[in-house]
Amino acid sequence: MQIDSTAMEPVKNGDIDESLYSRQLYVLGHEAMKKMNSSNVLVVGLKGLGVEIAKNIALAGVKSLTLYDPLPAELRDLSSQSFLHPEDVGRPRATVTAPRVAELNAYTPVSIHDAENLTSDLEQLSRYQVIVLTAIPLKEQLVIADYCHQKGIYLVIADTFGLFGSIFTDFGKSFTVVDATGEDPVTGIVADIDSDGLVTALDETRHGLEDGDFVTFSEVEGMDSINSTPPRKISVKGPYTFSIGDVSGLGEYKRGGLFTQARMPKFVDFQPLRQQIQKPDLMISDFAKFERPQQLHVGVQALHDFAAHHGGSMPRPHNAHDAEEVLRLAQGIASRAEDKLELDEKLLRELSYQAQGDLSPMAALFGGLAAQEVLKAASGKFNPIQQWLHFDSLESLPTQVERSEELCQPLQSRYDGQIAVFGRKYQEKIANLTEFLIGAGAIGCEMLKTWALTGLGSGPKGRIIVTDMDAIEKSNLNRQFLFRPKDVGKLKSDCAAEAVQAMNPDLKDKIVTLRDEVGEETEHVFNETFWEGLDGVTNALDNVKARIYVDQRCIFFNKPLVDSGTLGTKGNTQVVLPRLTESYSSSHDPPEQSFPACTLRNFPNKIEHTIAWARDLFEQCFTQQPESVNMYLTQPKYITHTLKQSGNEKATLETIRDYLVTEKPLSFEECIVWARRQFESHYNNKIQQLLFNFPKDSTTSSGAAFWSGPKRAPNALKFDPNNKTHLDFVRAAASLHAFNYGINGKGVSEEQYRKVLDSMIVPEFAPSSGVKIQANDSDPDPNAQASSGFDDAAELQQIISSLPPPHLLAGFRLQPVEFEKDDDTNFHIDFITAASNLRAENYSIATADRHRTKFIAGKIIPAIATTTALVTGLVMLELYKIVDGKDDIEQYKNGFVNLALPFFGFSEPIASPKGTYMSRTGEVTIDKLWDRFEVPDMTLTEFLRHFDEQGLKIATVSSGVSLLYASFYPPSKVQDRMPLKMSKLVSTISRKPIPDHQKNVIFEVTAEDMTEEDVEVPYVMVRLDR
């Protein structure tokens, strides 16, 4: 049965809707997605896990998605099934779920598999390329698995049991993995290839290759024939050298060349389930639980055996009798195994206790994992699981509240799946939580869904607060699954809250939505009262600056924080716990990659250089220069004060003159002329000048060829109106220039462009011997002096006199362009793509298409729904622990995953740093991160005495940038300060009043302890009388 879905404009010729799939395309690539678009996928079982898998597959996009689950929905399904509503109880799960899954992506047709059962007619499965099985008996799994292996149908089996989960894959014999990691190929510049095949990278640059990698070569001179050889296998000899083996007959290396890592296909043989269940290949999901997978492999089989003997029912929650039966069954399975295993009875009893548990975070975790395996099967992209992965999060079990069979019994409640694991008392605890979610994007949507299903904040004292300042864009729909096409343009926080309240009506009037960014500017909104009313904070942010600020606020107010992030198939989680762990800010990411200015200006050697140059040119021409013009028009003393201080007077004045006088356009045709002249300036004239200064046969002072190694000799371009890239540059530049002036450039035909271009005369260019060009980044910039205030005063005055006085242009303003990468009609990415590719053509660098240019210029973070779902599941497993109040740092886990490999890494959070000082009563231990001194608003005299009584002699007191007291100050300087209260002191010295919303002031102190040694002490918080 086919399900209707919201119609979208169809894509042509199998093309991919880049506006919808843009972030995912940067993860998977066009080829992988085209392969996915030829795959028909069946998902069996539509409880929480099954529907999570279906959701992620639908968002990713396949040829068709078919769902099968004829069983009636139960109220307990609402613990983890986000597409069911209370009124759906009793109706077939597939019937009510399929239409809602279909809404996620109009490009993925969703239908229902019509059959009474799956095993009576296995031929009906032959129309699928990938089948996913959840929540069906092992007996049926084996029958279907045998058929799939025989027919070459890829199979994924996944199940969760409370805080336990497992997944199995079988992609047949000789499954082809076209790209195991998804990482960009390593490239580098060749410095030498000797006669033994040893390759040396240029300037001792690490090559980044590994033993067994394959490389290809290009632009090698002397050993020319190596440029056309197939990929060669390498062996690493050192960080800067690698061997490619025999190079006899390839000639003698002279100079130049690039090496590029080649992605070679990998072939993997999978064994059928019937064979793997006896002798499994087990992946490790947590290296701290090395023996756990074997135990769980036996335990899951025992659960299936139990269900087979009890009419399909799993063991009852926390039932000791059922647990003993499961243990006996496990012992029987273990005794028949080839490799003997000593069973962990406590673990297997816990597995039995939780077997009926159905938890939203586990469904999210395994839903993301299983869906990614489906995409691997359909595309051949990334390395699949081989072949089992078992996982548990027993650390999430509560220890502060009681669990028993009586407390874990079902209550005929939507939370019964969670109560079966945690018990009633814990459910009351999580329901009365007040949690702050910052961000309602991809992770934010998943988080709100998980909270709604778990009932977080749904109790009489509970509340969820979510803030997000962004509106919904079309590209969000591919992974922010709470939003639909009708929501585009609306606020994320409002739409997300509305969606989860419909998912769980218990949250009605329990969610507060805000549209404010959390930062210093909004401390009047997120004030002390706000932060003190929270139980915890969860970050769903996409930038480091905001994360650091939230982290600092959580430290200040002693609030637990869970932070997470994704980058394509990679994801991480971090727990920040008051007085236990270090904070998010305690470690730092590596700095963002930047390129030397000299390289960008004159010596690019890869496409990233030309894109960065084009991005800078965009900002300069359409943002910075128009802003300079506006400052001239609006600031009364711009030339005499502001401009003089900038140190770049002449260039800025010339820009203002060009924009207001000599090149001010009155029509769109004049914008076309301006754009054509920009082409000539950047791609012809400046290149001619560069080659005039450094001819192609130039040598360095040491006699080496100047144009060698990373320096690529350029060629000037001659404008060709029949060249698409040339015309694209003119069209984009003219349109953006017209935007600056408010000139309408819409509807201009290509014929009109050509007419203007054919009629204009471009003056010939003659290089000048007076132009100086910096040859290397280590050399001084020969033009630096010219832009540092040494310009001829008469020349500057001549330019100034040519400018129209601002009062004659009253009301006239240029409109600076604000870069927006996701609007395909605004010419921003079109300009950068054309500008970058023309420069690449100058330097014989391989060009990049619009899609890749947008990725680099827009600094887009690649994203896919599968990673988002999995990471959210991991966050919630940590939040379970925080709700319980665990204070043992060993029970918490920071996580890092990479679904492409796949890899799971968990580590205990790093403890916060501790210190000591000697007080009057003995040694005092302090937490350097979380501790502080808190005192009421008192005079400076009382302040110093207070700490002296604790054995600390204060040397300095400061607040912000104001030094308020120093022991070395003369008495005359401090005598007026001593009687002032601390609040009055800081406002007097800083000359800034304390904001009305602020209830405390922070002071930093330096001090000596009783040993008369300088000691590191916490800051001091003075509470104000407000």
Side-chain angles (χ1 to χ4, degrees), residues 535-551:
D535 292 311
V537 181
T538 301
N539 268 350
L541 291 161
D542 61 359
N543 70 88
V544 172
K545 181 181 176 183
R547 280 184 164 119
I548 290 173
Y549 176 81
V550 172
D551 180 63

Side-chain angles (χ1 to χ4, degrees), residues 334 363 377 407 428 435 542 568 791 910 929 999:
L407 290 172
E428 292 170 5
E435 190 76 12
D542 61 359
D791 298 313
I910 298 174
L929 182 63
K999 294 184 177 180

Side-chain angles (χ1 to χ4, degrees), residues 44-57:
V44 176
L46 294 174
K47 298 179 81 170
L49 174 58
V51 84
E52 279 290 320
I53 297 169
K55 176 203 76 181
N56 293 327
I57 294 171

Side-chain angles (χ1 to χ4, degrees), residues 169 266 268-270 281-283 383-388:
T169 62
K266 171 184 172 183
V268 182
D269 284 331
F270 287 80
D281 293 324
L282 298 166
M283 266 192 61
N383 203 41
I385 290 172
Q386 299 169 51
Q387 289 185 249
W388 291 93

Side-chain angles (χ1 to χ4, degrees), residues 920-979:
R920 293 185 183 277
T921 56
E923 188 176 79
V924 176
T925 300
I926 55 171
D927 190 304
K928 293 182 179 180
L929 182 63
W930 295 96
D931 274 341
R932 65 176 174 233
F933 297 110
E934 292 190 23
V935 298
D937 198 5
M938 57 178 66
T939 66
L940 178 57
T941 300
E942 292 168 334
F943 185 89
L944 299 176
R945 185 188 307 127
H946 171 81
F947 285 99
D948 185 65
E949 289 170 354
Q950 297 186 47
L952 291 173
K953 184 178 181 181
I954 301 296
T956 63
V957 181
S958 60
S959 182
V961 296
S962 301
L963 182 60
L964 309 176
Y965 167 83
S967 58
F968 53 80
Y969 277 175
S972 59
K973 189 168 185 175
V974 298
Q975 63 182 4
D976 292 338
R977 302 183 183 188
M978 298 300 284

Side-chain angles (χ1 to χ4, degrees), residues 21 92 186 193 198 213 427 538 635 648 705 757 807 860 917 958:
Y21 291 116
V186 173
I193 305 176
L198 186 70
D213 282 348
Q427 186 63 42
T538 301
Q635 294 187 8
N648 196 19
L757 293 170
H807 71 270
I860 289 176
Y917 71 88
S958 60

Side-chain angles (χ1 to χ4, degrees), residues 580-582 889 908-914 927:
L580 279 181
T581 72
E582 67 174 15
I889 196 172
E908 179 184 309
I910 298 174
S912 54
K914 305 296 190 290
D927 190 304

Side-chain angles (χ1 to χ4, degrees), residues 156 315 482 604 632:
V156 177
L482 294 179
Y632 167 74

